[in-house]
Amino acid sequence: MAEKITGAVLDVIVQKDNGWAVLQMQNKITGGNHPVFFKATGVFPTTVKKGVTLTLEGVWEDKGKYGRQFKTINFIEEAPQTAADMELYLSSELVKGVGPALAKKIVATFGDKTFDILDNHPEKLLTISGIGKEKLKMIADSWSQHKEERNTLLFLRKLDVSSNMAIKLYQKYGSGIVTTIKQNPYMLVKLVRNFGFKKADAIASKMGFPPDFPGRVKAGITHVIDAANSEGSTAVPTGDLIIAACSLLDLPNNVVAKNLAEMVKSQEVFNSPSKAPESEPADSIYPAWLYRCEMGIAENIRRLMEFSLTPIVQMQLHTQDIASLTPYAEKLSVKQKQAIAHALHYPVTVLTGGPGTGKTSCLKALVDILYSHNIDFVLAAPTGRAAQRMGETTGYKASTIHRLLGYNPDAGGFKFNDDHQLPQEFFIIDEMSMVDAYLLDSLLKAVPDNAHVFLIGDADQLPSVGAGNVLNDIIARGIVPTTKLTEIFRQDDKSFIVINAHRINQGEMPIFLNDVQKNKDFFFFQNETPDDIAATVVELVTEKIPKQFGFDAKTQIQVLSPKYAGVIGVKEMNARLQQLINPPDTYKKERKAGERVFRVGDKVMQLVNDYDLNVFNGDIGYIQSINDSMMTIEFGNSYVSYPYDKLDSLTLAYCCTVHKSQGAEFDAVVIPFHESQFPMLRKNLAYTAITRAKKLVVLVGSKKAIAISVKNNMMENRHTGLALFLQQN
């Protein structure tokens, strides 16, 4: 529970560039259980120097050898009240040119009007011996600078902006942030990551902005669009958008519609193009960046399909020709050979199919042909884990799409783009179901005119975490030659993972055969209540599976839950698994971030793309060290230092959602199923979860919940425009 304590700063022990500091404090309130002298940690402005009085809000923490410290969440800088406090304040590093002796003279001369003199009549300081014109200018400039920062932070704190956020805003925008907010407080949503509409709305209400203020209405419309984008849609049907915005803003339809029309006119958002087919929403609204992404994908696919090809692919290949080009083709089916022939002949092609249908065999054969004919090819995938698997399969180096394009933090974008294209001739992209609209748009821009693009993925899996449904949209429009593999080849080892994945995809219940002699990779444990399911999952992960199969609980076993909340949701399961797999210990450093506790040794996952740190949504790593200013995490072969202001982008990863597991493979997967997870119980979600496992799948829960999943053929209701844009001439 948060406490408050008021104290004077005796010394600034440490202060980092990001504002994080350790302060030596003296308690100004006697009595109680608080110490007279204590250390306070937190993010503080540069104005916090020796002599400043602060009222801190936070919690006490035991920091081992560093002793008991006060972790500051918020603070208020108090004006010095006594002559001694004012003297100490003026003689601090804040006011240049004023030492203890001069501070004493100033306070003795002006008394309790000292700060008013400094604020409004600094020229009166000339009456004090030792202060000439040059020293006056030094004092006045120094005081003015401090006053600007202090007033800005005070303004923000009065609006209930947290101290940490207020400091960040001042550091980035200076005192100009005050003018910006006074003109339009909803700009905070654009300027500050995770600064939500509702928080900005509360600030605007305090400041007296009317409900129909255009900045409010447009911010509300943007909030609804952003919410749809976060759920995977690139567009929102206009009617749905207006209804949702009216509900959010509590405003009539005409007010919202008028502001939306203005946003379309100024190209803040875009309307769907004309000539939409009957199957498409006739009138949808896109944020500008996603409109340009989907339009860019369509334009670049058309561009690539119009250009001449490399010598090997100028001829029309037939399926029988493929066997003569590589020994890998000897056992390929007619459809597999067709996929390779299409990839070699057409500039843009798609290969889709479920587990065990031979996508990997096609990939190996194609790569062998390209290598033997000296065609410069590149292998890429949306995640590091998928790229690593691609490399291991083919024997050639593969990279993430992000690394292939080369993010340039100085330019705020990718190194390779439409102005500076990649040099390769052939691009093979795996795990396309994970690729969102922004990433595919960025990739295709960088592909030169005479190159080939071969897209591989499982269209039956969940769509990308990011906005878009690019693989299915490309397949649906029928412009790009597509081969769908359906025949299962990976049955020699009687893998029930493969068998049951296809049964689920066909709407059939999986086969449950809990006999290790007959079934070595797919098991079911029946439990009817969430509490029993959770207990069984924990026991399986921490005891039974490691003992029976030799898998490491932390690095080889992954729990996948359909939902975040609830007893068997991601949040609760992570807490229980962390306690057993990586329990607290005196030698393990910890860092608390909200309700989460990160500990050295923890398995963690990145939740958003961070191009500056070069880590991406869904990347899994392990915490190697924690110190006063940052956390170091190992992601594969790289070590990334996380400043503490970026911990919101991390979560524990002993359990994760099925969505976040896309593109990954784990030795063993444990999946809880219960009716309480509805409406997330869907066929493509269950299918995706099962296909994440390489060697072992364990389902825990009720057969009824599994049956609901298998029979629920509803897909995520994503509104996208790519299929429509592909149709446009």
Side-chain angles (χ1 to χ4, degrees), residues 574-639:
N574 265 323
R576 295 180 68 163
L577 290 166
Q578 181 194 38
Q579 190 64 24
L580 291 172
I581 296 173
N582 190 35
D585 204 309
T586 53
Y587 71 89
K588 293 180 186 176
K589 289 189 175 181
E590 296 182 350
R591 178 76 185 188
K592 194 171 182 181
E595 296 181 355
R596 296 159 299 155
V597 175
F598 294 112
R599 186 174 299 131
V600 171
D602 272 335
K603 180 180 182 179
V604 294
M605 176 181 284
Q606 176 73 10
L607 296 173
V608 295
N609 292 336
D610 191 317
Y611 298 100
D612 295 326
L613 294 179
N614 204 27
V615 289
F616 304 101
N617 191 355
D619 284 353
I620 289 178
Y622 300 89
I623 299 175
Q624 299 300 305
S625 65
I626 296 174
N627 59 35
D628 290 337
S629 59
M630 64 181 59
M631 181 185 297
T632 301
I633 302 174
E634 179 187 7
F635 290 98
N637 296 321
S638 64
Y639 290 83

Coordinates of all heavy atoms in Angstrom, one line a residue, residues 574-639:
N574 N 1.0 -17.7 -15.2 CA 2.4 -17.3 -15.1 C 2.8 -17.1 -13.6 O 3.9 -17.4 -13.3 CB 2.5 -15.9 -15.9 CG 3.0 -16.1 -17.3 OD1 3.8 -17.0 -17.5 ND2 2.5 -15.3 -18.2
A575 N 1.9 -16.5 -12.8 CA 2.2 -16.3 -11.4 C 2.5 -17.6 -10.7 O 3.5 -17.8 -10.0 CB 1.1 -15.6 -10.7
R576 N 1.7 -18.7 -11.0 CA 1.9 -20.0 -10.3 C 3.1 -20.7 -10.8 O 3.9 -21.3 -10.0 CB 0.6 -20.8 -10.5 CG -0.6 -20.3 -9.9 CD -1.9 -21.1 -10.1 NE -1.8 -22.4 -9.4 CZ -2.8 -23.2 -9.2 NH1 -4.0 -22.8 -9.6 NH2 -2.6 -24.4 -8.6
L577 N 3.3 -20.6 -12.1 CA 4.5 -21.3 -12.7 C 5.8 -20.6 -12.3 O 6.8 -21.3 -12.0 CB 4.4 -21.4 -14.2 CG 3.3 -22.3 -14.7 CD1 3.0 -22.1 -16.2 CD2 3.6 -23.8 -14.5
Q578 N 5.8 -19.3 -12.3 CA 7.0 -18.6 -11.8 C 7.4 -19.0 -10.4 O 8.6 -19.2 -10.1 CB 6.8 -17.1 -11.9 CG 8.0 -16.2 -11.5 CD 7.7 -14.8 -11.3 OE1 6.7 -14.4 -10.7 NE2 8.6 -13.9 -11.7
Q579 N 6.4 -19.1 -9.5 CA 6.7 -19.4 -8.1 C 7.4 -20.8 -8.0 O 8.2 -20.9 -7.1 CB 5.4 -19.4 -7.4 CG 5.5 -19.5 -5.8 CD 6.2 -18.3 -5.2 OE1 6.2 -17.2 -5.8 NE2 6.9 -18.5 -4.1
L580 N 7.1 -21.7 -8.9 CA 7.7 -23.0 -8.8 C 8.9 -23.2 -9.6 O 9.9 -23.9 -9.3 CB 6.6 -24.1 -9.2 CG 5.5 -24.2 -8.2 CD1 4.4 -25.2 -8.7 CD2 6.0 -24.8 -6.8
I581 N 8.9 -22.7 -10.9 CA 10.0 -22.8 -11.8 C 11.2 -21.9 -11.4 O 12.3 -22.3 -11.5 CB 9.5 -22.6 -13.2 CG1 8.5 -23.7 -13.6 CG2 10.7 -22.7 -14.2 CD1 7.9 -23.5 -15.0
N582 N 10.9 -20.7 -11.0 CA 11.9 -19.7 -10.7 C 11.5 -19.0 -9.4 O 11.2 -17.8 -9.5 CB 12.1 -18.7 -11.9 CG 13.4 -17.9 -11.7 OD1 14.4 -18.3 -11.1 ND2 13.3 -16.6 -12.1
P583 N 11.6 -19.7 -8.3 CA 11.1 -19.1 -7.0 C 12.0 -18.0 -6.6 O 13.2 -17.9 -7.0 CB 11.1 -20.3 -6.1 CG 12.1 -21.2 -6.6 CD 12.0 -21.1 -8.1
P584 N 11.6 -17.1 -5.7 CA 12.4 -16.0 -5.2 C 13.5 -16.6 -4.3 O 13.4 -17.7 -3.7 CB 11.5 -15.2 -4.3 CG 10.3 -16.1 -4.0 CD 10.2 -17.0 -5.2
D585 N 14.6 -15.9 -4.3 CA 15.8 -16.3 -3.5 C 16.6 -15.1 -3.2 O 16.6 -14.1 -3.9 CB 16.6 -17.4 -4.2 CG 17.4 -18.2 -3.2 OD1 18.1 -17.7 -2.4 OD2 17.3 -19.5 -3.3
T586 N 17.4 -15.1 -2.1 CA 18.1 -14.0 -1.7 C 19.2 -13.6 -2.7 O 19.5 -12.4 -2.8 CB 18.8 -14.3 -0.3 OG1 19.6 -15.5 -0.4 CG2 17.8 -14.4 0.8
Y587 N 19.7 -14.6 -3.5 CA 20.7 -14.3 -4.5 C 20.1 -13.8 -5.8 O 20.9 -13.4 -6.7 CB 21.6 -15.5 -4.7 CG 21.0 -16.6 -5.5 CD1 21.0 -16.7 -6.8 CD2 20.3 -17.7 -4.8 CE1 20.4 -17.8 -7.5 CE2 19.7 -18.7 -5.4 CZ 19.8 -18.8 -6.8 OH 19.2 -19.8 -7.5
K588 N 18.8 -13.9 -6.0 CA 18.1 -13.5 -7.2 C 17.6 -12.1 -7.1 O 16.7 -11.8 -6.3 CB 17.0 -14.4 -7.6 CG 17.4 -15.8 -8.0 CD 16.2 -16.7 -8.3 CE 16.6 -18.1 -8.5 NZ 15.3 -19.0 -8.8
K589 N 18.1 -11.2 -7.9 CA 17.6 -9.8 -7.9 C 16.2 -9.8 -8.6 O 15.9 -10.5 -9.5 CB 18.5 -8.9 -8.6 CG 19.8 -8.6 -7.8 CD 20.6 -7.5 -8.4 CE 21.8 -7.1 -7.5 NZ 22.6 -6.0 -8.1
E590 N 15.4 -8.8 -8.1 CA 14.0 -8.7 -8.7 C 13.8 -7.2 -9.1 O 14.4 -6.3 -8.6 CB 13.0 -9.1 -7.7 CG 13.0 -10.6 -7.3 CD 11.9 -10.9 -6.3 OE1 11.2 -10.0 -5.8 OE2 11.7 -12.1 -6.0
R591 N 12.8 -7.1 -9.9 CA 12.3 -5.7 -10.3 C 10.8 -5.8 -10.4 O 10.2 -6.6 -11.2 CB 12.9 -5.2 -11.6 CG 12.4 -3.9 -12.0 CD 13.1 -2.8 -11.2 NE 12.5 -1.5 -11.6 CZ 13.0 -0.3 -11.1 NH1 14.1 -0.3 -10.3 NH2 12.4 0.8 -11.5
K592 N 10.1 -5.0 -9.6 CA 8.6 -4.9 -9.7 C 8.2 -3.9 -10.8 O 8.7 -2.8 -10.8 CB 8.0 -4.6 -8.4 CG 6.5 -4.8 -8.3 CD 6.0 -4.7 -6.9 CE 4.5 -5.0 -6.8 NZ 4.0 -4.9 -5.4
A593 N 7.2 -4.3 -11.6 CA 6.7 -3.4 -12.6 C 5.2 -3.5 -12.6 O 4.6 -4.4 -13.1 CB 7.2 -3.7 -14.0
G594 N 4.5 -2.6 -11.9 CA 3.1 -2.7 -11.6 C 2.8 -3.9 -10.8 O 3.4 -4.1 -9.7
E595 N 1.9 -4.8 -11.2 CA 1.6 -6.1 -10.5 C 2.6 -7.2 -10.8 O 2.6 -8.2 -10.2 CB 0.2 -6.5 -10.8 CG -0.9 -5.5 -10.4 CD -2.3 -6.0 -10.7 OE1 -2.4 -7.1 -11.4 OE2 -3.2 -5.4 -10.3
R596 N 3.5 -7.0 -11.8 CA 4.4 -8.0 -12.2 C 5.7 -7.9 -11.5 O 6.2 -6.9 -11.1 CB 4.7 -7.9 -13.7 CG 3.5 -8.2 -14.6 CD 3.8 -7.6 -16.0 NE 3.9 -6.1 -15.9 CZ 4.6 -5.4 -16.8 NH1 5.2 -6.0 -17.8 NH2 4.7 -4.1 -16.6
V597 N 6.3 -9.1 -11.2 CA 7.6 -9.2 -10.6 C 8.6 -9.9 -11.6 O 8.3 -11.0 -11.9 CB 7.6 -9.9 -9.2 CG1 9.0 -10.0 -8.7 CG2 6.8 -9.1 -8.2
F598 N 9.6 -9.2 -12.0 CA 10.6 -9.9 -12.9 C 11.8 -10.2 -12.0 O 12.3 -9.5 -11.2 CB 11.0 -8.9 -14.0 CG 9.9 -8.6 -15.0 CD1 9.4 -7.3 -15.0 CD2 9.4 -9.5 -15.8 CE1 8.4 -7.0 -15.9 CE2 8.4 -9.2 -16.7 CZ 7.9 -8.0 -16.8
R599 N 12.3 -11.5 -12.3 CA 13.3 -12.0 -11.4 C 14.4 -12.6 -12.3 O 14.2 -13.1 -13.4 CB 12.8 -13.1 -10.6 CG 13.7 -13.7 -9.5 CD 12.8 -14.7 -8.6 NE 11.8 -14.0 -8.0 CZ 10.5 -14.5 -7.9 NH1 10.1 -15.6 -8.5 NH2 9.6 -13.8 -7.3
V600 N 15.7 -12.5 -11.9 CA 16.8 -13.1 -12.7 C 16.5 -14.5 -12.9 O 16.1 -15.3 -12.0 CB 18.1 -12.9 -12.0 CG1 19.2 -13.7 -12.6 CG2 18.6 -11.4 -11.9
G601 N 16.6 -15.0 -14.2 CA 16.3 -16.3 -14.6 C 14.9 -16.5 -15.2 O 14.6 -17.5 -15.7
D602 N 14.0 -15.5 -15.1 CA 12.7 -15.6 -15.6 C 12.6 -15.7 -17.1 O 13.5 -15.1 -17.8 CB 11.8 -14.4 -15.1 CG 11.1 -14.6 -13.8 OD1 10.9 -15.7 -13.4 OD2 10.8 -13.6 -13.1
K603 N 11.6 -16.4 -17.6 CA 11.3 -16.5 -19.0 C 10.3 -15.4 -19.3 O 9.3 -15.2 -18.7 CB 10.7 -17.9 -19.3 CG 10.3 -18.1 -20.7 CD 9.7 -19.5 -20.8 CE 9.3 -20.0 -22.2 NZ 8.7 -21.3 -22.2
V604 N 10.7 -14.5 -20.3 CA 9.9 -13.3 -20.6 C 9.6 -13.2 -22.1 O 10.3 -13.9 -22.9 CB 10.5 -12.0 -20.1 CG1 10.6 -12.0 -18.6 CG2 11.9 -11.9 -20.7
M605 N 8.6 -12.4 -22.4 CA 8.2 -12.3 -23.8 C 8.1 -10.8 -24.1 O 7.5 -10.0 -23.3 CB 6.9 -13.0 -24.1 CG 6.4 -12.8 -25.6 SD 4.8 -13.6 -25.9 CE 5.4 -15.3 -26.1
Q606 N 8.5 -10.3 -25.3 CA 8.3 -9.0 -25.8 C 6.9 -8.9 -26.4 O 6.5 -9.7 -27.2 CB 9.4 -8.6 -26.8 CG 9.2 -7.3 -27.5 CD 9.6 -6.1 -26.6 OE1 10.1 -6.3 -25.5 NE2 9.3 -4.9 -27.0
L607 N 6.2 -7.8 -26.1 CA 4.8 -7.7 -26.5 C 4.6 -6.8 -27.7 O 3.5 -6.8 -28.3 CB 4.0 -7.1 -25.3 CG 3.9 -8.1 -24.1 CD1 3.2 -7.3 -22.9 CD2 3.2 -9.3 -24.4
V608 N 5.6 -5.9 -28.0 CA 5.4 -5.0 -29.1 C 6.8 -5.0 -29.9 O 7.8 -5.3 -29.3 CB 5.0 -3.6 -28.7 CG1 3.7 -3.6 -28.1 CG2 6.1 -3.0 -27.7
N609 N 6.7 -4.6 -31.1 CA 7.9 -4.4 -31.9 C 8.7 -3.2 -31.3 O 8.1 -2.1 -31.1 CB 7.7 -4.2 -33.4 CG 7.1 -5.4 -34.1 OD1 7.4 -6.5 -33.6 ND2 6.4 -5.2 -35.1
D610 N 10.0 -3.4 -31.0 CA 10.8 -2.3 -30.6 C 12.0 -2.2 -31.5 O 13.0 -3.0 -31.3 CB 11.2 -2.4 -29.1 CG 11.9 -1.2 -28.5 OD1 12.7 -0.6 -29.2 OD2 11.6 -0.8 -27.4
Y611 N 12.0 -1.4 -32.5 CA 13.1 -1.3 -33.5 C 14.4 -0.8 -32.9 O 15.5 -1.1 -33.3 CB 12.6 -0.5 -34.7 CG 11.4 -1.1 -35.4 CD1 10.1 -0.6 -35.2 CD2 11.6 -2.2 -36.2 CE1 9.0 -1.2 -35.8 CE2 10.5 -2.8 -36.9 CZ 9.2 -2.3 -36.6 OH 8.1 -2.9 -37.3
D612 N 14.3 0.1 -31.9 CA 15.5 0.6 -31.2 C 16.2 -0.5 -30.5 O 17.5 -0.5 -30.6 CB 15.1 1.7 -30.3 CG 14.5 2.9 -31.0 OD1 14.9 3.2 -32.1 OD2 13.6 3.6 -30.4
L613 N 15.5 -1.4 -29.8 CA 16.2 -2.5 -29.1 C 16.4 -3.7 -30.0 O 17.1 -4.6 -29.6 CB 15.3 -2.9 -27.9 CG 15.2 -1.8 -26.8 CD1 14.3 -2.4 -25.6 CD2 16.6 -1.4 -26.2
N614 N 15.8 -3.7 -31.2 CA 15.9 -4.8 -32.1 C 15.3 -6.1 -31.5 O 15.8 -7.2 -31.7 CB 17.4 -5.1 -32.5 CG 17.5 -5.8 -33.8 OD1 16.6 -5.6 -34.7 ND2 18.6 -6.5 -34.0
V615 N 14.2 -5.9 -30.8 CA 13.4 -7.0 -30.4 C 11.9 -6.8 -30.8 O 11.5 -5.7 -31.0 CB 13.4 -7.2 -28.8 CG1 14.8 -7.7 -28.4 CG2 13.0 -5.9 -28.1
F616 N 11.2 -8.0 -31.0 CA 10.0 -7.9 -31.7 C 8.9 -8.7 -31.0 O 9.1 -9.6 -30.2 CB 10.1 -8.3 -33.2 CG 11.2 -7.5 -33.9 CD1 12.5 -8.1 -34.1 CD2 11.0 -6.2 -34.3 CE1 13.5 -7.4 -34.7 CE2 12.0 -5.5 -34.9 CZ 13.2 -6.0 -35.1
N617 N 7.6 -8.3 -31.4 CA 6.5 -8.9 -30.8 C 6.5 -10.4 -30.8 O 6.7 -11.0 -31.9 CB 5.2 -8.4 -31.6 CG 3.9 -8.8 -30.9 OD1 3.9 -9.5 -29.9 ND2 2.8 -8.3 -31.5
G618 N 6.5 -11.1 -29.6 CA 6.5 -12.5 -29.5 C 7.9 -13.1 -29.2 O 8.0 -14.3 -29.0
D619 N 8.9 -12.3 -29.3 CA 10.3 -12.8 -29.0 C 10.3 -13.3 -27.5 O 9.9 -12.5 -26.6 CB 11.3 -11.7 -29.2 CG 11.7 -11.5 -30.7 OD1 11.1 -12.3 -31.5 OD2 12.4 -10.6 -31.0
I620 N 10.9 -14.4 -27.3 CA 11.0 -15.0 -25.9 C 12.5 -14.9 -25.5 O 13.4 -15.3 -26.3 CB 10.5 -16.4 -25.8 CG1 9.0 -16.4 -26.0 CG2 10.9 -17.1 -24.5 CD1 8.4 -17.8 -26.0
G621 N 12.7 -14.5 -24.3 CA 14.1 -14.4 -23.7 C 14.1 -14.8 -22.3 O 13.1 -15.1 -21.7
Y622 N 15.3 -14.7 -21.7 CA 15.6 -15.0 -20.3 C 16.4 -13.9 -19.6 O 17.4 -13.5 -20.1 CB 16.3 -16.4 -20.2 CG 15.5 -17.5 -20.9 CD1 15.7 -17.8 -22.3 CD2 14.6 -18.2 -20.2 CE1 15.0 -18.8 -22.9 CE2 13.9 -19.2 -20.8 CZ 14.0 -19.5 -22.1 OH 13.3 -20.5 -22.8
I623 N 15.9 -13.5 -18.5 CA 16.5 -12.4 -17.7 C 17.9 -12.9 -17.2 O 17.9 -13.8 -16.4 CB 15.6 -11.9 -16.6 CG1 14.3 -11.4 -17.2 CG2 16.4 -10.8 -15.8 CD1 13.3 -10.9 -16.1
Q624 N 18.9 -12.2 -17.6 CA 20.3 -12.5 -17.1 C 20.8 -11.7 -15.9 O 21.5 -12.2 -15.1 CB 21.3 -12.3 -18.3 CG 21.0 -13.2 -19.5 CD 21.0 -14.7 -19.2 OE1 22.0 -15.2 -18.7 NE2 19.9 -15.4 -19.5
S625 N 20.4 -10.5 -15.9 CA 20.8 -9.6 -14.8 C 19.9 -8.5 -14.6 O 19.2 -8.0 -15.5 CB 22.2 -9.1 -15.0 OG 22.3 -8.2 -16.1
I626 N 19.9 -7.9 -13.3 CA 19.0 -6.8 -13.0 C 19.9 -5.9 -12.1 O 20.5 -6.3 -11.2 CB 17.8 -7.2 -12.2 CG1 16.9 -8.0 -13.0 CG2 17.0 -5.9 -11.7 CD1 15.7 -8.6 -12.3
N627 N 20.0 -4.6 -12.5 CA 20.7 -3.6 -11.7 C 19.8 -2.4 -11.4 O 18.6 -2.4 -11.7 CB 22.0 -3.2 -12.3 CG 21.9 -2.6 -13.6 OD1 20.9 -1.9 -13.9 ND2 22.9 -2.8 -14.5
D628 N 20.4 -1.3 -10.9 CA 19.6 -0.2 -10.5 C 18.9 0.6 -11.7 O 17.9 1.2 -11.5 CB 20.4 0.8 -9.7 CG 20.8 0.3 -8.3 OD1 20.1 -0.6 -7.8 OD2 21.8 0.8 -7.8
S629 N 19.5 0.4 -12.8 CA 19.0 1.2 -14.0 C 18.4 0.4 -15.1 O 17.7 1.0 -15.9 CB 20.1 2.1 -14.5 OG 21.2 1.4 -14.9
M630 N 18.7 -0.9 -15.2 CA 18.2 -1.6 -16.4 C 18.3 -3.1 -16.1 O 18.8 -3.6 -15.1 CB 19.0 -1.3 -17.6 CG 20.5 -1.7 -17.6 SD 21.3 -1.2 -19.1 CE 21.0 0.6 -19.1
M631 N 17.7 -3.9 -17.0 CA 17.6 -5.3 -17.0 C 18.2 -5.9 -18.3 O 17.9 -5.3 -19.4 CB 16.1 -5.7 -16.9 CG 15.8 -7.2 -16.8 SD 14.0 -7.4 -16.8 CE 13.5 -6.6 -15.3
T632 N 19.0 -6.9 -18.2 CA 19.6 -7.5 -19.4 C 18.9 -8.8 -19.6 O 18.8 -9.7 -18.8 CB 21.1 -7.7 -19.2 OG1 21.7 -6.4 -18.9 CG2 21.7 -8.3 -20.4
I633 N 18.5 -9.0 -20.9 CA 17.7 -10.2 -21.3 C 18.4 -10.8 -22.5 O 18.8 -10.1 -23.4 CB 16.3 -9.8 -21.6 CG1 15.6 -9.1 -20.4 CG2 15.5 -11.1 -22.0 CD1 14.2 -8.6 -20.7
E634 N 18.5 -12.1 -22.4 CA 19.1 -12.9 -23.5 C 18.0 -13.3 -24.5 O 17.1 -14.1 -24.1 CB 19.8 -14.1 -23.0 CG 20.4 -15.0 -24.1 CD 21.0 -16.3 -23.7 OE1 20.9 -16.6 -22.5 OE2 21.7 -17.0 -24.5
F635 N 18.0 -12.9 -25.7 CA 17.1 -13.3 -26.8 C 17.9 -14.1 -27.8 O 18.6 -13.5 -28.6 CB 16.4 -12.1 -27.5 CG 15.4 -11.4 -26.6 CD1 15.8 -10.3 -26.0 CD2 14.1 -11.9 -26.5 CE1 14.9 -9.6 -25.2 CE2 13.2 -11.2 -25.7 CZ 13.6 -10.1 -25.1
G636 N 17.9 -15.4 -27.7 CA 18.7 -16.2 -28.6 C 20.2 -16.0 -28.4 O 20.7 -16.2 -27.3
N637 N 20.8 -15.5 -29.4 CA 22.3 -15.2 -29.3 C 22.6 -13.7 -29.0 O 23.8 -13.4 -29.0 CB 23.0 -15.6 -30.6 CG 22.9 -17.1 -30.9 OD1 23.0 -17.9 -29.9 ND2 22.7 -17.5 -32.1
S638 N 21.6 -12.9 -28.7 CA 21.9 -11.5 -28.5 C 21.4 -11.2 -27.0 O 20.5 -11.7 -26.5 CB 21.1 -10.6 -29.5 OG 19.7 -10.8 -29.4
Y639 N 22.1 -10.2 -26.5 CA 21.8 -9.6 -25.2 C 21.3 -8.2 -25.3 O 21.9 -7.4 -25.9 CB 23.0 -9.7 -24.2 CG 23.4 -11.1 -23.9 CD1 24.2 -11.9 -24.7 CD2 23.0 -11.7 -22.7 CE1 24.6 -13.2 -24.4 CE2 23.4 -13.0 -22.3 CZ 24.1 -13.7 -23.2 OH 24.5 -15.0 -22.8

